[in-house]
Amino acid sequence: MNKSSNLYRDIVTGIFFTTGVFGFMSGEFILSTMLFGAATISSNLDFTGSFKA
């Protein structure tokens, strides 16, 4: 994996998670659940893999 790709993925995951925490504290539970899900998906997907047909 490329180091810059990992950095961008970590930044996006952190933004989703932090925004989800603030949404949870403000009472927007549906939005925070979606943001936590997006953080989980973005931390587990590998965008640098190549696909062969």
Side-chain angles (χ1 to χ4, degrees):
M1 254 194 209
N2 194 359
K3 185 177 181 180
S4 64
S5 175
N6 285 338
L7 177 66
Y8 294 139
R9 184 178 67 183
D10 290 342
I11 289 172
V12 168
T13 302
I15 289 172
F16 282 152
F17 183 77
T18 306
T19 309
V21 168
F22 287 132
F24 184 79
M25 289 189 312
S26 68
E28 298 194 14
F29 301 114
I30 295 173
L31 179 66
S32 66
T33 302
M34 290 178 11
L35 288 168
F36 287 139
T40 302
I41 289 171
S42 69
S43 69
N44 288 323
L45 289 180
D46 183 18
F47 295 109
T48 59
S50 61
F51 297 102
K52 294 182 180 178

